[in-house]
Amino acid sequence: MTSRARVRTALLATVVVTSCLAGCGSGADAPDGPGPAGAGPERPGAGDDELVVDALPLDAPVVLDPVPDGLRLEQVGIAPPNTVPQDFEPSRATLYGDPALADTLDGPVLLVGTSSGSAQIGGPGRDVPGEEVDLGGRTGKVVRDADRTWVVLEGNDFVEFVVGRGIDEDDLVAAARGADFASATATLAPDAVPAGLEPLVAGGPPDGPGAGPGEYLSLRGDSAWIAVVAVRADPRLAALWGFWVDDATGTVVRAEPGSVGVLRGTYLGGPAAPGRVWAEDGMVVAAVVTLDGAGEGEALLDQVVENLRVGTAEEFEAMRRLVLDRPPTPDELGCGLDGGFVSGAGGDRRWAFALAPNSLAGLDEWTTCYMEFTNGSGGGGTIYPPPPVGELVVEVNGSTDLGTGTGYTILGGVAPPGTARVTVTTADGRTLEAQLADVGPRPGERVWGAFDARPPLPPGGPPLTVTAYDAAGAVLRSVPG
């Protein structure tokens, strides 16, 4: 971001507040179709001889300096160059529009795309009511949402869609009948394209702005979740990303023509969250805030935008360490267990473990939850009946069978009353100090947890030993005993 950054960020703060006060959170007053050509700033047009515009890794990282008070960084990610196989073809959406318009999004527009993955499904939402239509052997659903209309085909774990603004509904249904969703780049058959439109740009992700090979930041406050995505790309990608924003005429963002309003149908920020998209200095950037209720989110978003700038690799690493060196919170674990919680951070690993009586079965069952946050290892949990008071409970990656699993391992359990220290001795002789919660599921007990990058299990021998000590250093319990 250039030397004009301070001027641009001050302008953006004004734009965001004004736009959202005008109703960007609800979409109730959204226009029925596109705005008049020439109204608002002239955003980058999508048309060109080359249809495909792929996002690329940034030349230099974007840093947030400083992180605003009231927010904490939860994720900091950037894809380095040369990590994608040469023969890999990413999934893309195709945007159709009027090639005569300098600002593609000023006119009628249609996007054909796909969405996959149970945690990242774009579109209007599976529970939104719609009218069933025959799409030539498949059944689709027509859904009207603010200024756009969707024709959606749902699968078990994916969605295919044609969505348009300012397009006749019958033409959208006809387009969906001629859509090719099998190729990596979703397109329409030539005879299915509505009159006056042409394919103008194809790019990804196919279901709204997303990190792809670029940079992704997420932050959380007491009542807001904020995400920022930045990629290196031709400015025309901002037209495809900007389609997802309720802004038919365009809005100035950081002294550049952009799109400001509610993002609709994207997994970034949920089905409808205030956001903006713009192109700047060889980058295409999207920012969105999901409000949790208290109304502070947009003010915090203004501060995040103001504090964004291009930085160095060393500054990016310092920002990444703000996340990696901070033990996760119960909110980040997200299990909602009202009981013992422990977490830790070290190197490039962050983990958390929680255990509490089952909210339905009470003391007759225990519920556990664990997560490894920084290596894509994920997490899980389990439910099991508690042993008698005084025993040392040990589970590994959610199992009380100590011989299960290899690789990165989250250990946890319950230490008996009187415990002041818990250690884990690994199969290769290392000693780990466990974290101890102040409480446990029953009086006197304490929840404990530890993390280990465990080597392969030795044949025939125990993979680890867990020992609980009292304040004087005497052994209370050891497993295996």
Side-chain angles (χ1 to χ4, degrees):
M1 300 178 187
T2 67
S3 59
R4 296 177 290 167
R6 288 296 174 185
V7 174
R8 292 181 181 182
T9 49
L11 179 56
L12 177 57
T14 303
V15 169
V16 171
V17 172
T18 302
S19 300
C20 290
L21 286 176
C24 73
S26 67
D29 299 322
D32 294 328
E42 189 175 294
R43 293 167 289 193
D48 194 70
D49 292 338
E50 179 61 41
L51 179 67
V52 173
V53 175
D54 281 330
L56 301 169
L58 298 175
D59 289 327
V62 174
V63 297
L64 181 59
D65 179 28
V67 176
D69 292 340
L71 289 174
R72 66 172 182 268
L73 278 165
E74 288 196 336
Q75 288 183 294
V76 175
I78 192 167
N82 305 320
T83 58
V84 178
Q86 290 186 346
D87 58 350
F88 173 76
E89 185 174 4
S91 296
R92 305 181 185 96
T94 301
L95 183 70
Y96 293 75
D98 184 346
L101 294 176
D103 181 344
T104 302
L105 299 179
D106 275 355
V109 280
L110 178 152
L111 185 141
V112 54
T114 61
S115 182
S116 62
S118 58
Q120 296 183 343
I121 292 184
R126 295 187 178 225
D127 56 345
V128 175
E131 301 172 9
E132 288 192 354
V133 290
D134 177 32
L135 299 178
R138 299 182 68 185
T139 300
K141 184 171 69 172
V142 176
V143 178
R144 302 169 190 89
D145 181 27
D147 68 348
R148 63 203 60 202
T149 301
W150 300 76
V151 182
V152 181
L153 297 93
E154 296 180 351
N156 290 334
D157 198 32
F158 64 91
V159 177
E160 300 164 339
F161 50 80
V162 172
V163 53
R165 187 180 69 215
I167 307 291
D168 181 81
E169 193 170 295
D170 290 339
D171 289 340
L172 280 175
V173 173
R177 291 194 180 106
D180 175 14
F181 298 110
S183 303
T185 300
T187 58
L188 302 179
D191 60 357
V193 179
L197 303 188
E198 293 182 9
L200 298 180
V201 64
D207 52 359
E215 182 176 334
Y216 176 82
L217 308 177
S218 72
L219 305 99
R220 184 173 293 278
D222 291 338
S223 61
W225 177 82
I226 294 173
V228 178
V229 175
V231 299
R232 178 166 59 92
D234 186 292
R236 292 181 294 134
L237 186 64
L240 190 143
W241 283 17
F243 167 80
W244 297 93
V245 181
D246 274 353
D247 189 352
T249 58
T251 305
V252 174
V253 178
R254 295 175 65 96
E256 303 287 352
S259 301
V260 172
V262 171
L263 273 72
R264 294 199 178 273
T266 75
Y267 66 81
L268 182 68
R276 73 294 313 245
V277 170
W278 73 98
E280 178 180 354
D281 292 343
M283 298 184 295
V284 174
V285 187
V288 62
V289 56
T290 300
L291 308 177
D292 293 338
E296 68 171 355
E298 293 173 40
L300 290 171
L301 180 61
D302 293 343
Q303 295 179 52
V304 168
V305 172
E306 181 179 356
N307 295 348
L308 287 174
R309 62 175 176 83
V310 169
T312 64
E314 292 77 15
E315 289 175 318
F316 179 82
E317 178 61 19
M319 184 173 64
R320 199 172 72 96
R321 299 296 341 162
L322 292 177
V323 175
L324 294 180
D325 294 340
R326 177 180 56 78
T329 65
D331 286 345
E332 288 178 87
L333 183 59
C335 298
L337 295 183
D338 186 17
F341 170 86
V342 289
S343 65
D348 282 353
R349 305 297 169 199
R350 301 175 70 233
W351 61 272
F353 176 85
L355 184 149
N358 187 293
S359 59
L360 298 178
L363 293 177
D364 293 332
E365 281 185 343
W366 285 352
T367 299
T368 69
C369 180
Y370 64 92
M371 177 71 71
E372 201 276 297
F373 290 83
T374 49
N375 195 42
S377 299
T382 190
I383 297 175
Y384 52 84
V389 175
E391 292 194 13
L392 174 62
V393 179
V394 179
E395 65 173 81
V396 180
N397 287 345
S399 173
T400 52
D401 179 356
L402 301 192
T404 63
T406 59
Y408 296 105
T409 301
I410 295 176
L411 307 101
V414 174
T419 296
R421 179 189 179 205
V422 171
T423 64
V424 177
T425 303
T426 66
D428 57 349
R430 291 173 293 115
T431 298
L432 309 176
E433 290 288 337
Q435 300 292 324
L436 277 171
D438 291 334
V439 298
R442 296 173 297 201
E445 294 177 321
R446 301 179 71 178
V447 170
W448 66 272
F451 179 84
D452 181 35
R454 186 164 54 152
L457 301 182
L464 52 84
T465 300
V466 180
T467 305
Y469 303 87
D470 66 14
V475 173
L476 294 174
R477 289 280 183 173
S478 187
V479 174

